[in-house]
Amino acid sequence: MDCPIFRLAAIEDAGLVQAIRARAYIPAYTAVIGVAPKPAFEDYRPRIERGEVWMAALGTEPVGILVMEDAPNHMLIYSVAVEPSHQGKGLAKAIVGQAERIARGKGKPELRLYTNQKMRANLRLYSNCGFSEPRRRPHPSRSGEFLVDMSKRTDLPG
């Protein structure tokens, strides 16, 4: 796989960001949990304006999205999305690597994220990227479901 090039999304990218997210999230999540998650239909313009959205491209083709939130002692990966036609090629792992570089660059000692416990592919991806699972918690809006919190130190070698 060629290495993707990352750049901050601009406000004029909002439609493209939304389209990539919808194509990546709606089929995958609906097949596993029966509904599309909030990131699939959220308005990303405020996040773009705050500088929280990065686009990944292969050449000139946008193929993925990274959304991160800056917290006092960590960075939160809010979402990672890869165009379905480019999934399974290592792009999600490359996007997570970019998240780690961003966190380190901001001097954040930890990277955090959460995913639905039923999203086994997500759990494998993040585990393979070195994330640990400190806890599971009830989903705030879907009774009987759980979210898996995951974290990775960014201030340790390796």
PDB file of all heavy atoms in Angstrom, residues 7-15 17 44-45 48-49 53-55:
ATOM      1  N   ARG A   7      -4.060  15.736   5.473  1.00  0.00           N
ATOM      2  CA  ARG A   7      -4.198  17.179   5.589  1.00  0.00           C
ATOM      3  C   ARG A   7      -5.450  17.482   6.395  1.00  0.00           C
ATOM      4  O   ARG A   7      -6.387  16.665   6.452  1.00  0.00           O
ATOM      5  CB  ARG A   7      -4.277  17.845   4.229  1.00  0.00           C
ATOM      6  CG  ARG A   7      -5.560  17.524   3.454  1.00  0.00           C
ATOM      7  CD  ARG A   7      -5.702  18.409   2.221  1.00  0.00           C
ATOM      8  NE  ARG A   7      -6.842  18.052   1.402  1.00  0.00           N
ATOM      9  CZ  ARG A   7      -8.088  18.464   1.603  1.00  0.00           C
ATOM     10  NH1 ARG A   7      -8.377  19.244   2.632  1.00  0.00           N
ATOM     11  NH2 ARG A   7      -9.066  18.083   0.789  1.00  0.00           N
ATOM     12  N   LEU A   8      -5.438  18.647   7.038  1.00  0.00           N
ATOM     13  CA  LEU A   8      -6.647  19.077   7.731  1.00  0.00           C
ATOM     14  C   LEU A   8      -7.738  19.317   6.705  1.00  0.00           C
ATOM     15  O   LEU A   8      -7.475  19.847   5.618  1.00  0.00           O
ATOM     16  CB  LEU A   8      -6.393  20.365   8.519  1.00  0.00           C
ATOM     17  CG  LEU A   8      -5.791  20.200   9.896  1.00  0.00           C
ATOM     18  CD1 LEU A   8      -5.365  21.555  10.461  1.00  0.00           C
ATOM     19  CD2 LEU A   8      -6.754  19.512  10.849  1.00  0.00           C
ATOM     20  N   ALA A   9      -8.954  18.926   7.035  1.00  0.00           N
ATOM     21  CA  ALA A   9     -10.086  19.181   6.154  1.00  0.00           C
ATOM     22  C   ALA A   9     -10.423  20.669   6.182  1.00  0.00           C
ATOM     23  O   ALA A   9     -10.294  21.322   7.211  1.00  0.00           O
ATOM     24  CB  ALA A   9     -11.294  18.360   6.597  1.00  0.00           C
ATOM     25  N   ALA A  10     -10.838  21.181   5.043  1.00  0.00           N
ATOM     26  CA  ALA A  10     -11.309  22.559   4.930  1.00  0.00           C
ATOM     27  C   ALA A  10     -12.836  22.533   4.879  1.00  0.00           C
ATOM     28  O   ALA A  10     -13.437  21.500   4.552  1.00  0.00           O
ATOM     29  CB  ALA A  10     -10.741  23.193   3.666  1.00  0.00           C
ATOM     30  N   ILE A  11     -13.451  23.654   5.170  1.00  0.00           N
ATOM     31  CA  ILE A  11     -14.913  23.712   5.224  1.00  0.00           C
ATOM     32  C   ILE A  11     -15.533  23.271   3.892  1.00  0.00           C
ATOM     33  O   ILE A  11     -16.591  22.638   3.881  1.00  0.00           O
ATOM     34  CB  ILE A  11     -15.412  25.102   5.681  1.00  0.00           C
ATOM     35  CG1 ILE A  11     -16.858  25.023   6.163  1.00  0.00           C
ATOM     36  CG2 ILE A  11     -15.218  26.133   4.604  1.00  0.00           C
ATOM     37  CD1 ILE A  11     -17.052  24.220   7.413  1.00  0.00           C
ATOM     38  N   GLU A  12     -14.854  23.541   2.781  1.00  0.00           N
ATOM     39  CA  GLU A  12     -15.400  23.113   1.491  1.00  0.00           C
ATOM     40  C   GLU A  12     -15.343  21.591   1.311  1.00  0.00           C
ATOM     41  O   GLU A  12     -15.917  21.055   0.370  1.00  0.00           O
ATOM     42  CB  GLU A  12     -14.740  23.836   0.313  1.00  0.00           C
ATOM     43  CG  GLU A  12     -13.253  23.835   0.298  1.00  0.00           C
ATOM     44  CD  GLU A  12     -12.616  24.993   1.078  1.00  0.00           C
ATOM     45  OE1 GLU A  12     -13.311  25.793   1.713  1.00  0.00           O
ATOM     46  OE2 GLU A  12     -11.389  25.054   1.061  1.00  0.00           O
ATOM     47  N   ASP A  13     -14.656  20.883   2.213  1.00  0.00           N
ATOM     48  CA  ASP A  13     -14.602  19.422   2.192  1.00  0.00           C
ATOM     49  C   ASP A  13     -15.766  18.778   2.950  1.00  0.00           C
ATOM     50  O   ASP A  13     -15.866  17.552   2.986  1.00  0.00           O
ATOM     51  CB  ASP A  13     -13.300  18.921   2.827  1.00  0.00           C
ATOM     52  CG  ASP A  13     -12.056  19.329   2.068  1.00  0.00           C
ATOM     53  OD1 ASP A  13     -12.072  19.261   0.824  1.00  0.00           O
ATOM     54  OD2 ASP A  13     -11.065  19.705   2.729  1.00  0.00           O
ATOM     55  N   ALA A  14     -16.608  19.574   3.575  1.00  0.00           N
ATOM     56  CA  ALA A  14     -17.650  19.027   4.464  1.00  0.00           C
ATOM     57  C   ALA A  14     -18.515  17.973   3.770  1.00  0.00           C
ATOM     58  O   ALA A  14     -18.800  16.919   4.343  1.00  0.00           O
ATOM     59  CB  ALA A  14     -18.513  20.146   5.037  1.00  0.00           C
ATOM     60  N   GLY A  15     -18.938  18.219   2.558  1.00  0.00           N
ATOM     61  CA  GLY A  15     -19.769  17.246   1.843  1.00  0.00           C
ATOM     62  C   GLY A  15     -19.026  15.951   1.567  1.00  0.00           C
ATOM     63  O   GLY A  15     -19.584  14.863   1.727  1.00  0.00           O
ATOM     64  N   VAL A  17     -16.419  14.807   3.292  1.00  0.00           N
ATOM     65  CA  VAL A  17     -16.221  14.157   4.595  1.00  0.00           C
ATOM     66  C   VAL A  17     -17.472  13.371   4.958  1.00  0.00           C
ATOM     67  O   VAL A  17     -17.402  12.198   5.340  1.00  0.00           O
ATOM     68  CB  VAL A  17     -15.877  15.201   5.684  1.00  0.00           C
ATOM     69  CG1 VAL A  17     -15.978  14.597   7.076  1.00  0.00           C
ATOM     70  CG2 VAL A  17     -14.491  15.783   5.447  1.00  0.00           C
ATOM     71  N   TYR A  44     -20.348  17.636  10.181  1.00  0.00           N
ATOM     72  CA  TYR A  44     -18.940  17.782  10.544  1.00  0.00           C
ATOM     73  C   TYR A  44     -18.405  19.196  10.374  1.00  0.00           C
ATOM     74  O   TYR A  44     -17.247  19.453  10.688  1.00  0.00           O
ATOM     75  CB  TYR A  44     -18.088  16.777   9.755  1.00  0.00           C
ATOM     76  CG  TYR A  44     -18.172  15.416  10.377  1.00  0.00           C
ATOM     77  CD1 TYR A  44     -19.179  14.538  10.031  1.00  0.00           C
ATOM     78  CD2 TYR A  44     -17.281  15.036  11.366  1.00  0.00           C
ATOM     79  CE1 TYR A  44     -19.291  13.308  10.641  1.00  0.00           C
ATOM     80  CE2 TYR A  44     -17.390  13.808  11.983  1.00  0.00           C
ATOM     81  CZ  TYR A  44     -18.400  12.956  11.617  1.00  0.00           C
ATOM     82  OH  TYR A  44     -18.521  11.741  12.232  1.00  0.00           O
ATOM     83  N   ARG A  45     -19.219  20.117   9.893  1.00  0.00           N
ATOM     84  CA  ARG A  45     -18.714  21.483   9.704  1.00  0.00           C
ATOM     85  C   ARG A  45     -18.154  22.093  10.981  1.00  0.00           C
ATOM     86  O   ARG A  45     -17.056  22.666  10.945  1.00  0.00           O
ATOM     87  CB  ARG A  45     -19.787  22.362   9.077  1.00  0.00           C
ATOM     88  CG  ARG A  45     -19.981  22.042   7.593  1.00  0.00           C
ATOM     89  CD  ARG A  45     -21.092  22.824   6.999  1.00  0.00           C
ATOM     90  NE  ARG A  45     -22.320  22.375   7.661  1.00  0.00           N
ATOM     91  CZ  ARG A  45     -23.532  22.607   7.243  1.00  0.00           C
ATOM     92  NH1 ARG A  45     -23.725  23.335   6.177  1.00  0.00           N
ATOM     93  NH2 ARG A  45     -24.584  22.138   7.868  1.00  0.00           N
ATOM     94  N   ILE A  48     -14.782  20.523  11.559  1.00  0.00           N
ATOM     95  CA  ILE A  48     -13.811  21.007  10.572  1.00  0.00           C
ATOM     96  C   ILE A  48     -13.331  22.396  10.974  1.00  0.00           C
ATOM     97  O   ILE A  48     -12.128  22.683  10.954  1.00  0.00           O
ATOM     98  CB  ILE A  48     -14.418  20.997   9.154  1.00  0.00           C
ATOM     99  CG1 ILE A  48     -14.618  19.548   8.676  1.00  0.00           C
ATOM    100  CG2 ILE A  48     -13.546  21.780   8.174  1.00  0.00           C
ATOM    101  CD1 ILE A  48     -15.424  19.410   7.393  1.00  0.00           C
ATOM    102  N   GLU A  49     -14.258  23.258  11.353  1.00  0.00           N
ATOM    103  CA  GLU A  49     -13.895  24.618  11.762  1.00  0.00           C
ATOM    104  C   GLU A  49     -12.974  24.626  12.981  1.00  0.00           C
ATOM    105  O   GLU A  49     -12.125  25.504  13.117  1.00  0.00           O
ATOM    106  CB  GLU A  49     -15.148  25.441  12.026  1.00  0.00           C
ATOM    107  CG  GLU A  49     -15.904  25.770  10.749  1.00  0.00           C
ATOM    108  CD  GLU A  49     -17.274  26.389  10.993  1.00  0.00           C
ATOM    109  OE1 GLU A  49     -17.772  26.389  12.143  1.00  0.00           O
ATOM    110  OE2 GLU A  49     -17.858  26.878   9.997  1.00  0.00           O
ATOM    111  N   VAL A  53     -10.685  17.525  12.016  1.00  0.00           N
ATOM    112  CA  VAL A  53     -10.909  16.548  10.954  1.00  0.00           C
ATOM    113  C   VAL A  53      -9.730  16.559   9.979  1.00  0.00           C
ATOM    114  O   VAL A  53      -9.371  17.608   9.444  1.00  0.00           O
ATOM    115  CB  VAL A  53     -12.216  16.839  10.189  1.00  0.00           C
ATOM    116  CG1 VAL A  53     -12.456  15.797   9.094  1.00  0.00           C
ATOM    117  CG2 VAL A  53     -13.408  16.896  11.154  1.00  0.00           C
ATOM    118  N   TRP A  54      -9.153  15.383   9.772  1.00  0.00           N
ATOM    119  CA  TRP A  54      -8.067  15.196   8.808  1.00  0.00           C
ATOM    120  C   TRP A  54      -8.564  14.282   7.703  1.00  0.00           C
ATOM    121  O   TRP A  54      -9.323  13.351   7.947  1.00  0.00           O
ATOM    122  CB  TRP A  54      -6.851  14.553   9.461  1.00  0.00           C
ATOM    123  CG  TRP A  54      -6.067  15.480  10.320  1.00  0.00           C
ATOM    124  CD1 TRP A  54      -4.923  16.157   9.986  1.00  0.00           C
ATOM    125  CD2 TRP A  54      -6.344  15.840  11.665  1.00  0.00           C
ATOM    126  NE1 TRP A  54      -4.493  16.912  11.051  1.00  0.00           N
ATOM    127  CE2 TRP A  54      -5.341  16.740  12.094  1.00  0.00           C
ATOM    128  CE3 TRP A  54      -7.355  15.508  12.565  1.00  0.00           C
ATOM    129  CZ2 TRP A  54      -5.317  17.294  13.357  1.00  0.00           C
ATOM    130  CZ3 TRP A  54      -7.337  16.057  13.830  1.00  0.00           C
ATOM    131  CH2 TRP A  54      -6.325  16.947  14.212  1.00  0.00           C
ATOM    132  N   MET A  55      -8.102  14.534   6.494  1.00  0.00           N
ATOM    133  CA  MET A  55      -8.431  13.696   5.352  1.00  0.00           C
ATOM    134  C   MET A  55      -7.178  12.928   4.949  1.00  0.00           C
ATOM    135  O   MET A  55      -6.074  13.475   4.987  1.00  0.00           O
ATOM    136  CB  MET A  55      -8.922  14.547   4.192  1.00  0.00           C
ATOM    137  CG  MET A  55     -10.181  15.326   4.564  1.00  0.00           C
ATOM    138  SD  MET A  55     -10.893  16.195   3.182  1.00  0.00           S
ATOM    139  CE  MET A  55     -11.551  14.809   2.262  1.00  0.00           C
TER     140      MET A  55
END
